[in-house]
Amino acid sequence: AQSVSQHNHHVILSEAASLELGCNYSYGGTVNLFWYVQYPGQHLQLLLKYFSGDPLVKGIKGFEAEFIKSKFSFNLRKPSVQWSDTAEYFCAVKRQTGANNLFFGTGTRLTVIP
Amino acid sequence: ETGVTQSPTHLIKTRGQQVTLRCSSQSGHNTVSWYQQALGQGPQFIFQYYREEENGRGNFPPRFSGLQFPNYSSELNVNALELDDSALYLCASSESSGVSYEQYFGPGTRLTVT
């Protein structure tokens, strides 16, 4: 069965620290990969996505993610976090064949201390 | 903010009752997907509607049903509510049902079943 794993449940960082959030998926076929962010009291927003091509993708607000096919991973990174990055981050996978829906991980809560 | 709206914002129901949640898709979008997000979990796919037809379904029992209207707005109906149905219900719309189309999420409806 399709599954998405986010191993970090809660990450606490000081401002200016670097961030890396892990995401692994279990589907063996071709996938599209996404990172969504949910700021407190707001709706889910797309941070970045990977469909094909350069495995290093850049998103909004200085975030980037690298797709490593051999590791079934799509880790999210940011060189220097800000207090405003405090939010819940979700990795999601969509298969390129079959049902057109997103499979989400359980999320990682990021708290940035000023 | 996206153009996806959901109503009501919050709802409290008693076990065994029925509930209807509503979603208005973003202008120009003909596909609506519904997700259930339990506390501390990532969203789980319930079903998708494309041009008024169900276009895929997740692992939810038949008491979860839906409709899409000619204006592409949608309803999620849940019969015989159970305590475990307490969750945030998210609606997402996209331009089409194809895998390359981004899903835009609404703010959600928080359902509490007592």
Side-chain angles (χ1 to χ4, degrees), chain B:
Chain B
E1 288 193 6
T2 68
V4 181
T5 60
Q6 293 185 243
S7 62
T9 306
H10 295 89
L11 202 51
I12 300 174
K13 289 285 190 179
T14 303
R15 190 171 49 183
Q17 286 188 315
Q18 178 266 340
V19 70
T20 297
L21 310 181
R22 294 178 175 83
C23 170
S24 291
S25 58
Q26 187 162 311
S27 177
H29 289 188
N30 60 21
T31 303
V32 172
S33 303
W34 285 93
Y35 293 82
Q36 180 196 65
Q37 186 178 10
L39 200 60
Q41 301 295 317
Q44 287 194 56
F45 176 67
I46 303 174
F47 43 57
Q48 181 183 86
Y49 278 83
Y50 170 63
R51 293 186 175 180
E52 303 179 59
E53 297 283 334
E54 188 176 291
N55 186 45
R57 189 179 182 93
N59 189 27
F60 280 81
R63 58 190 185 84
F64 285 78
S65 63
L67 279 175
Q68 188 178 33
F69 300 98
N71 66 355
Y72 302 130
S73 65
S74 177
E75 284 183 357
L76 164 65
N77 300 290
V78 187
N79 294 322
L81 283 167
E82 300 177 1
L83 296 179
D84 285 350
D85 296 333
S86 295
L88 181 68
Y89 288 84
L90 298 170
C91 166
S93 74
S94 56
E95 284 183 58
S96 182
S97 62
V99 294
S100 62
Y101 290 95
E102 180 180 336
Q103 295 187 13
Y104 293 82
F105 285 83
T109 293
R110 173 77 60 189
L111 172 65
T112 302
V113 182
T114 61

Side-chain angles (χ1 to χ4, degrees), chain A residues 66-81:
Chain A
E66 184 175 12
F67 171 48
I68 303 179
K69 189 173 181 180
S70 61
K71 294 185 177 180
F72 297 88
S73 70
F74 190 55
N75 291 354
L76 180 71
R77 300 195 291 247
K78 186 171 183 178
S80 176
V81 295

Side-chain angles (χ1 to χ4, degrees), chain A residues 28-64:
Chain A
T30 304
V31 296
N32 297 333
L33 298 157
F34 306 80
W35 275 97
Y36 282 85
V37 61
Q38 192 169 34
Y39 296 104
Q42 295 188 27
H43 60 273
L44 274 170
Q45 301 173 43
L46 182 66
L47 265 182
L48 48 77
K49 60 187 177 186
Y50 172 80
F51 281 0
S52 63
D54 188 346
L56 184 63
V57 293
K58 295 191 184 298
I60 61 171
K61 305 186 180 186
F63 287 91
E64 65 178 31

